[in-house]
Amino acid sequence: MQNYKKHLRLSLIFLLLCSPIFSQKVTLKEINRLQKEATQVTIIRDNWGIAHVYGKTDANAVFGLLYAQCEDDFNRIEMNYIEKLGRLSEIKGPSVLYNDLEIKLIIDEQEAKNDYEQAKPWLKKLLNAYADGINYFLYKNPKVKPALLQHFEPWYPLLWTDGSIGAISTGDLTTGELKAFYSGNTDKVSYIERIKDVQTGSNGFALSPSKTASGNAILYINPHTSFYFRPEVQISSEEGLNAYGAVTWGQFFIYQGFNENCGWMHTSSNADVADMYAEKITVKNDKKYYEYDNQYIPLKEKTITIKYLQNGKIESKDFNTYATNHGPIMAQRDGKWISLKSYNRAMKSLEQSWLRTKSKTFEDYKLAMDLKANTSNNTVYADSQGNIAYWHGNFVPIRDKTINWSKVVDGTTSTTEWKGLHDVSETVHSYNPINGWLQNCNSTPFSVAGDNSPKKEDYPAYMAPDGENFRALNAVRLLSKGDKYTLDKIIADGYNTKLTAFEILIPVLISTFEKQINTENSQYNQLIEPIAILKNWDYYSSETSIATTLAIEWAVKLDPALQKVYIDQGETDQIENTIKFAQDATDEQLLPQLLQVINELKTKFGTWQIPYGEINRYQRLSCAIDLKYDDNLKSLPIGFGPALWGSLPAFRSTYKEGTHKKYGFNGNSFVCAVEFGPKIKAKSLLAGGNSGDPKSKHFNDQEEMYQKGKFKDVLFYKEDVLKNVERNYHPGE
């Protein structure tokens, strides 16, 4: 036995010395420490492959959470941090060079490291556990080959602190402008432009006891994200942690979910959290200065080196970058250098992201909100005491109300500085409105509770520039007339497929067509039957609906203003733009576009009479982040359409390279309805399945449920989890 132990010890030492992942990184003592920590964690996989992680301490639970995430999809975890480190070019080449530069300008790695050193003991334990969980997974799974990050550091989460997949605020500045400024070249290469208006969003509904059959509050959680970037998980500890919901790959807190006492759903906020400043630059004795309150201050200069893959080798490019007291110089407009003032990462934001998951009461949750550190989210809330609440944003700088802050402001004077942060009580919010419901669909907070919503005139314009959209109209319509809600009933409303936009657009199309009656006109004759189908349509999308196909294909060919959902201060919103278009549209703006749809469908399919489910498909063939699609391989018809036109369940699909059909890639991902009674009751659903491994039965075991909107029961209590065990183990076993 002693010889066996000696050989085992020597083998382990040899493995550590030879491992490329841990060479000069992890000692035998370190491995022993990680193995000991793993024994303090139990992971139970239920019959859907959902990981229920139980740890003695919060840090143990975080260790297990990250280990379980790595088992499900290490690739997505790594890619999220490669992006936040500004190192995408090292694997994708120079095509994203300026995306990396942009990240390194607005997310400072050294600041994250400094925050880690200064972190409170409880937070540092969680950060260490985060890195330990991933690194232990890599040690135990040597067949997993990282694309770049061989070892994860505990300060990585301080680069990315709020939970959203890619919530980077740059005001109105673009990556193209950044590239032009730092390269002197305006060609559209070496970067991928961020899409400001992704034509989707998220939905959150909260129902007070007065609106439910049971007399318990209900929360509906419906983020719309890129598919497979929001896995389902539960984390619990003996230190009071017990949270269930969706976590963004690589983060250690439940981003959208609930505990025994309360639940939180985040929607993307358009509250102004980043501003652009026009700087006056002067050169004296070959040194650059910026003017501020009649003084000349030296520009801060920093060399940023971006490494990139070129012809199989790593090359590097140095950028001499500039910054003022406001922040980094990001562009040049009208001859002036433009700086960005933002709050894209902060330790306080990470603290808030964790603390809210342990809230036991409404007062606890409000204390977390009082940290005022969440820059990207609105929050829809419900709890076991029957409270419902909504907050529009959270980090809101105090500014001069007479200035339009969506525009470039004067950087030469302190009069345009932020003057602290608004207290949460001053921001747009709603607590327990008398109508008994709240909704937000990435829309204005001034319809969040119907007629009982906050009033726009009571708040500065920069606090909520968000406009109304067609999903919100649909949600208000349903919740205003709904009553005696159950989990199944709120799920049914959440899956309402009415395409509200077409209540405005289709009547004007029909009336315009009918004014053009001319049987000798070939265009008119080709449109008679399609118009008749649209005239008899009820505006609900479905798999069998030909009208849905015609309407959606037609609408995207109309004025692009109809697709503008996220707006800046002073701009008209999607509803206003659509109404104005319908009032002013000529036949040339409506009819040729429908004829084009008819001809395109005939070319692709031999007929224009295509039910929506035949063209709108769900397909998951591999674990790749950038998926490929194939018309000849298995796919499922999807009846619900894009959120853009009012569908509450979101399924954003497009034609892909080499396909005639449209394939979904963004929309409903993790969806959950939860009731806060004496015991939690909840139902949930994922796009596809929880595993990123195509060989796993949980890769696509929820795809048909996803297609039909059929939810599974959430196993929140351990006694229920133990009745549905697929695997019970410690990390590393």
Side-chain angles (χ1 to χ4, degrees):
M1 187 66 178
Q2 290 300 322
N3 285 337
Y4 169 75
K5 289 183 178 178
K6 180 179 179 182
H7 287 308
L8 180 63
R9 192 158 51 244
L10 288 172
S11 296
L12 181 57
I13 292 171
F14 178 76
L15 175 63
L16 292 172
L17 290 173
C18 294
S19 169
I21 295 174
F22 286 91
S23 176
Q24 299 181 353
K25 290 283 187 181
V26 182
T27 63
L28 180 58
K29 180 180 178 181
E30 183 75 353
I31 290 300
N32 287 336
R33 181 183 69 80
L34 295 177
Q35 288 175 329
K36 183 178 180 180
E37 186 167 4
T39 65
Q40 306 301 304
V41 181
T42 299
I43 301 173
I44 301 177
R45 297 277 183 176
D46 67 22
N47 48 17
W48 295 102
I50 308 301
H52 303 260
V53 181
Y54 303 93
K56 290 188 176 298
T57 66
D58 287 356
N60 294 153
V62 167
F63 178 98
L65 169 64
L66 270 298
Y67 191 95
Q69 283 189 49
C70 288
E71 289 182 305
D72 287 331
D73 206 325
F74 173 78
N75 184 31
R76 281 179 165 79
I77 293 172
E78 185 187 19
M79 286 302 299
N80 278 339
Y81 283 100
I82 290 173
E83 178 194 5
K84 297 303 183 292
L85 285 161
R87 298 181 64 183
L88 280 173
S89 299
E90 292 180 49
I91 57 174
K92 294 190 174 184
S95 64
V96 290
L97 195 69
Y98 289 91
N99 298 89
D100 282 345
L101 178 61
E102 181 177 63
I103 288 290
K104 285 183 175 290
L105 280 169
I106 61 181
I107 299 180
D108 190 287
E109 186 176 302
Q110 189 57 52
E111 288 180 2
K113 292 175 181 177
N114 293 343
D115 277 353
Y116 170 74
E117 295 300 330
Q118 299 166 16
K120 297 170 184 175
W122 68 264
L123 180 58
K124 186 169 283 190
K125 287 179 182 178
L126 301 183
L127 292 166
N128 290 338
Y130 148 88
D132 286 347
I134 300 177
N135 291 327
Y136 188 56
F137 170 82
L138 290 174
Y139 162 67
K140 295 297 292 187
N141 295 271
K143 290 184 180 179
V144 174
K145 303 299 183 185
L148 184 63
L149 304 179
Q150 306 293 331
H151 190 270
F152 281 68
E153 302 295 338
W155 51 267
Y156 283 2
L158 287 160
L159 298 168
W160 179 32
T161 52
D162 75 344
S164 299
I165 290 174
I168 303 299
S169 299
T170 61
D172 194 37
L173 298 168
T174 68
T175 316
E177 288 180 294
L178 179 79
K179 188 260 172 99
F181 181 82
Y182 281 109
S183 73
N185 192 328
T186 58
D187 58 23
K188 296 182 179 181
V189 297
S190 299
Y191 70 96
I192 299 172
E193 195 63 78
R194 285 173 288 101
I195 302 174
K196 181 181 179 183
D197 191 344
V198 295
Q199 303 174 4
T200 179
S202 299
N203 304 333
F205 307 151
L207 303 167
S208 74
S210 65
K211 296 289 286 185
T212 66
S214 65
N216 300 319
I218 289 176
L219 180 68
Y220 186 71
I221 298 168
N222 182 200
H224 300 163
T225 69
S226 302
F227 292 162
Y228 326 122
F229 265 88
R230 197 56 57 76
E232 184 173 349
V233 71
Q234 181 177 19
I235 49 173
S236 303
S237 80
E238 295 175 15
E239 294 183 335
L241 173 69
N242 189 9
Y244 191 108
V247 61
T248 304
W249 292 113
Q251 295 197 311
F252 63 75
F253 54 88
I254 298 295
Y255 176 48
Q256 292 153 321
F258 57 94
N259 59 34
E260 289 180 286
N261 308 293
C262 62
W264 52 96
M265 166 60 200
H266 295 303
T267 61
S268 298
S269 180
N270 209 34
D272 190 346
V273 296
D275 290 320
M276 303 172 288
Y277 288 82
E279 307 289 0
K280 186 175 180 181
I281 307 300
T282 301
V283 179
K284 294 182 179 180
N285 300 322
D286 295 327
K287 287 195 67 175
K288 294 182 176 67
Y289 298 81
Y290 65 96
E291 184 178 329
Y292 188 75
D293 282 349
N294 299 316
Q295 296 183 3
Y296 293 93
I297 302 171
L299 269 173
K300 302 171 190 175
E301 297 191 40
K302 180 171 70 171
T303 299
I304 293 178
T305 301
I306 306 292
K307 295 180 180 179
Y308 61 96
L309 184 66
Q310 183 81 46
N311 299 322
K313 296 181 180 180
I314 294 293
E315 308 286 352
S316 65
K317 183 175 178 61
D318 292 337
F319 294 91
N320 187 38
T321 67
Y322 305 97
T324 71
N325 60 318
H326 297 121
I329 301 295
M330 303 287 285
Q332 180 170 312
R333 292 184 182 178
D334 300 324
K336 293 186 177 181
W337 288 14
I338 309 298
S339 64
L340 172 70
K341 188 176 183 68
S342 64
Y343 194 74
N344 279 302
R345 53 134 251 112
M347 182 158 59
K348 188 183 289 188
S349 178
L350 188 60
E351 291 175 357
Q352 184 179 30
S353 295
W354 177 263
L355 290 171
R356 66 183 177 230
T357 70
K358 298 189 72 173
S359 300
K360 291 182 169 58
T361 65
F362 190 25
E363 294 307 314
D364 282 351
Y365 202 91
K366 286 192 282 188
L367 284 174
M369 294 297 289
D370 283 341
L371 290 173
K372 297 180 288 189
N374 192 330
T375 58
S376 67
N377 296 305
N378 307 317
T379 305
V380 184
Y381 169 95
D383 68 26
S384 59
Q385 300 303 307
N387 296 296
I388 62 172
Y390 175 78
W391 294 270
H392 195 78
N394 183 240
F395 171 93
V396 185
I398 300 170
R399 305 171 172 96
D400 184 334
K401 297 177 184 178
T402 65
I403 295 175
N404 184 337
W405 288 89
S406 69
K407 307 298 183 183
V408 177
V409 299
D410 186 357
T412 68
T413 171
S414 57
T415 61
T416 56
E417 293 295 347
W418 295 352
K419 299 171 177 62
L421 297 177
H422 283 281
D423 287 339
V424 175
S425 62
E426 297 173 343
T427 63
V428 188
H429 66 279
S430 178
Y431 299 159
N432 296 316
I434 59 173
N435 54 293
W437 57 264
L438 290 163
Q439 67 78 32
N440 186 260
C441 299
N442 301 111
S443 46
T444 175
F446 306 122
S447 66
V448 69
D451 293 337
N452 299 287
S453 302
K455 305 304 179 188
K456 185 174 184 178
E457 58 269 22
D458 294 339
Y459 299 93
Y462 59 73
M463 199 173 275
D466 320 56
E468 193 61 286
N469 63 41
F470 288 108
R471 273 183 296 129
L473 289 186
N474 202 5
V476 169
R477 173 181 63 86
L478 291 165
L479 295 171
S480 295
K481 67 181 183 180
D483 200 15
K484 298 189 185 323
Y485 275 99
T486 62
L487 292 183
D488 289 338
K489 186 172 181 181
I490 193 62
I491 288 170
D493 273 6
Y495 268 73
N496 185 281
T497 64
K498 189 169 189 178
L499 300 176
T500 323
F502 294 113
E503 291 183 302
I504 298 172
L505 293 172
I506 295 300
V508 72
L509 171 68
I510 292 168
S511 64
T512 300
F513 175 78
E514 290 178 344
K515 291 175 185 175
Q516 305 294 320
I517 294 176
N518 181 356
T519 55
E520 296 181 1
N521 185 313
S522 60
Q523 173 178 293
Y524 175 86
N525 288 330
Q526 290 181 69
L527 294 180
I528 290 175
E529 193 173 354
I531 290 288
I533 289 174
L534 289 169
K535 191 172 185 177
N536 291 318
W537 184 37
D538 61 2
Y539 306 121
Y540 287 85
S541 68
S542 71
E543 291 178 25
T544 59
S545 170
I546 295 171
T548 303
T549 302
L550 295 174
I552 290 175
E553 295 295 294
W554 169 70
V556 297
K557 299 182 185 301
L558 302 179
D559 189 328
L562 306 187
Q563 300 182 51
K564 186 175 176 59
V565 175
Y566 292 98
I567 63 169
D568 290 326
Q569 181 180 333
E571 295 180 339
T572 53
D573 65 27
Q574 187 191 21
I575 309 300
E576 294 167 325
N577 289 336
T578 303
I579 291 172
K580 187 176 189 309
F581 174 81
Q583 290 172 341
D584 300 339
T586 66
D587 58 342
E588 288 301 314
Q589 292 175 290
L590 298 167
L591 300 180
Q593 292 78 3
L594 182 59
L595 184 62
Q596 185 180 355
V597 169
I598 299 302
N599 291 331
E600 287 175 355
L601 291 172
K602 284 180 180 178
T603 299
K604 289 179 181 178
F605 303 104
T607 176
W608 59 265
Q609 295 173 312
I610 303 296
Y612 191 54
E614 287 189 23
I615 195 175
N616 194 51
R617 312 293 289 188
Y618 171 87
Q619 187 180 73
R620 189 186 193 189
L621 300 177
S622 76
C623 60
I625 292 175
D626 298 318
L627 285 170
K628 303 296 183 183
Y629 301 89
D630 192 328
D631 287 340
N632 298 312
L633 298 178
K634 177 190 173 184
S635 63
L636 296 177
I638 301 296
F640 49 96
L644 177 64
W645 308 118
S647 176
L648 288 176
F651 189 80
R652 187 180 178 203
S653 60
T654 60
Y655 297 104
K656 305 295 183 178
E657 183 178 355
T659 73
H660 283 171
K661 299 177 182 179
K662 294 165 43 169
Y663 292 92
F665 62 95
N666 184 295
N668 276 22
S669 47
F670 167 78
V671 192
C672 185
V674 55
E675 179 181 321
F676 296 94
K679 290 193 72 174
I680 290 289
K681 295 179 181 177
K683 295 186 175 185
S684 66
L685 181 60
L686 282 171
N690 206 56
S691 175
D693 181 1
K695 298 177 183 177
S696 169
K697 67 180 180 180
H698 302 304
F699 182 70
N700 259 340
D701 58 344
Q702 295 182 54
E703 64 175 359
E704 292 186 6
M705 298 162 62
Y706 181 82
Q707 174 196 29
K708 299 171 183 175
K710 181 180 178 182
F711 284 50
K712 63 186 183 296
D713 290 330
V714 165
L715 304 173
F716 183 75
Y717 296 99
K718 193 169 185 178
E719 57 264 31
D720 296 323
V721 176
L722 291 172
K723 294 174 185 175
N724 296 274
V725 176
E726 183 174 275
R727 187 177 171 214
N728 189 330
Y729 60 102
H730 299 300
E733 289 181 349

